[in-house]
Amino acid sequence: MHYKSATELASLIRRKKVGALEMLDHFLARVDRYNPKLNAIIWMDRDKARRRAKAADAALKKGQRLGPLHGVPMTIKESYQVAGSPTTWGLPAMKDNVTETTSVAAQRMIDAGATLFGKTNVPVALADHQSYNPIYGTTNNPWDVTRTPGGSSGGSAAALAAGLTGIDAGTDLGSSIRNPAHYCGIFGHKPTHGVVTFRGVALPGILTNFDIAVLGPLARSASDLDLALDIMAGPDPDDGGYSRIVLPRCKKVELRQFRVAIKLSDPNCEVDGEYADQIQLLVDHLAKRGVKVSEAAPDLDTARLDDVFIQLSRAAVSLGVSDADIAPLKVLAAGGDNDRFLQRSIAGLTMTYREWLKLDNERQHMRLKFNAFFEDHDILLCPVVASAAYPHDHTEEGKRWRRRISVNGKELPPTDQSFWAGYAGLVYLPATVGPAGLTRSGLPVGYQAITAQGRDKTSLAFAKLVEKDFGGFTPPPGYD
C-alpha cells in the first residue's frame, strides 16, 4: 500500500478496501520504523490526523466524498504555514514561529480530502540542494543515506521515495522541487509562475509575491501531479475574485504525437556521463516509439540567461536577507573571491529597482524566444542538474559555491547546477520531472520536461505517457 500512488490510495478508500484510519496508521508505523535513519519528516500531529481520518471514514459511511484525495495521508514542506505547526525555514531565530493560519495551497489539499499529518525537512532559508538545518538536523537520501536527498524540498522527496507518505507539496525557485525529485527517483512538477498562490508560504510579515518562485506537488506518479495541480491551482483569494486559473488541456494521447526537442548539455553546466547516458536511453526509446525527436533549443545566449537568472533569483529572496547577512558576502568578494555565483548573488541582493527593470526587460525578450520555440516543439527535454545525488557536504557554511561535487571526474562547484534550474525558471515555464532510471552506480536520475508557459498539462501528459511506456517510480531497496 505504501508505494501506491495517491490516486490509487484514494480509490482504495472510496471502494472501502482500506479505511482512512487504517491507511494513516500504516503510514505512521512506517514513519516510526524508517524515519529515524532518514529524518525526512520533522514534525507530526498524530492526534489531529487521526481525527481527520476518522472523519473521512465516517463521511464515507454516509455516502459523502470529501474530495479526490479522500483520506489520503499527506505531508507538506516545512515552509508551508499549517495552523498549530512551526514554520521556521530552518532558521534558528524562527524555531518558535508556530502559526495560527494555514497557507492557501495547503488548505486546498486538506479541503480535497487529504489527511495532513506532518511536515518535511528543509535547508536553512530554503537555500541549498541539501536539506539540513540547526533546528531539525540532516535529511538523508533513501537510496544512500550518505547522500543528499536534494533541497530545498528534500524531506518531501525522501519521505515519498521511502513510502512514508501518500503525497506532498513543495516550493521551487532554484530547482527545489525538481532536484529532490531527480535525486530520489520520484515525480515533481514546477508549475507556470503564478498558477498557485504563494499566500501563507512565507516568513512572518512577508506578503509580497516572489518572482520566479512557485509552489507545486511531489508524488510517486505523474497522474498524482496532475491531480494535485488541479487542486492547488488558483489565484490568491484576497485578490478580489475577478480572475481564475484555466490551464489548457493537452489533446495528445500517444507519445508519437509529441514533438520533443533534446538538449542534454550546455557549456554553462557540464552533465555527468552516467546521468546523460540514462537520459539518452529515454531519448532512444522515444525515437523507437515514433516520437519526433530533434536536437534543438531556443536561439539565445545561455550564459547570459544564467547570469540574469542568478541575479533575479537572488533579488527575489532579498526581502528576507538582512544587510548583516549581505555584509560578509561583500567582504569575501572584496577579498578576492571572484566566484561568478557569489558576484551575481551580491548584485541580485543589492540591485536598485531600475537595475531590476533592465534585467526583467532582458528576461522578457528571452521569454518571447521560448514562446516562439514552443510553436514548433511540445517538449524541451533536458537534465535537471549536473549529476545524481552527491555525498553530504556541510563544509563552507554560508559559502556553498566553494564546495565541490564530482562530475565526470572533475571537482566542480555545486552552484553551477543553477543553470538547469534557470532554463525553465527564469522565463516562468512549467517543468515536470520524472524518473529516467538508475545510473550504473545504482542511483536514481530524472528527466526534465519543459513546455510552453501555461501549458502545464502538456508536460504532465508527456510524463504520464513516459511513465506508462518507459517506466516510473522504483522503490529504493531496504524499505519493504
Side-chain angles (χ1 to χ4, degrees), residues 7 16 37 42 50 65 70 74 77 83 119 136 159 171 212 227 242 248 261 277 313-314 400 426 430 467 474:
T7 307
K16 300 181 180 180
K37 71 176 179 180
I42 44 74
R50 284 195 171 105
R65 181 181 171 189
H70 186 118
M74 177 185 177
K77 190 174 184 176
K119 299 181 86 171
Y136 302 119
T171 66
I212 302 175
L227 173 63
Y242 58 86
D277 289 347
S313 65
R314 294 308 90 198
R400 58 192 176 99
L426 176 65
E467 178 183 11
T474 298

Side-chain angles (χ1 to χ4, degrees), residues 5 90 99 250 459 470 476:
S5 69
T99 62
C250 179
S459 63
F470 180 77

Side-chain angles (χ1 to χ4, degrees), residues 188-251:
H189 182 69
K190 184 203 91 64
T192 297
H193 185 263
V195 165
V196 183
T197 175
F198 236 90
R199 182 59 59 90
V201 185
L203 292 172
I206 296 180
L207 296 178
T208 189
N209 290 319
F210 293 94
D211 184 26
I212 302 175
V214 301
L215 309 184
L218 297 99
R220 284 186 293 267
S221 80
S223 294
D224 285 358
L225 297 181
D226 199 2
L227 173 63
L229 182 62
D230 285 343
I231 294 167
M232 297 174 71
D236 190 323
D238 288 334
D239 281 351
Y242 58 86
S243 63
R244 62 194 183 102
I245 303 295
V246 181
L247 296 172
R249 297 288 171 180
C250 179
K251 297 180 181 179

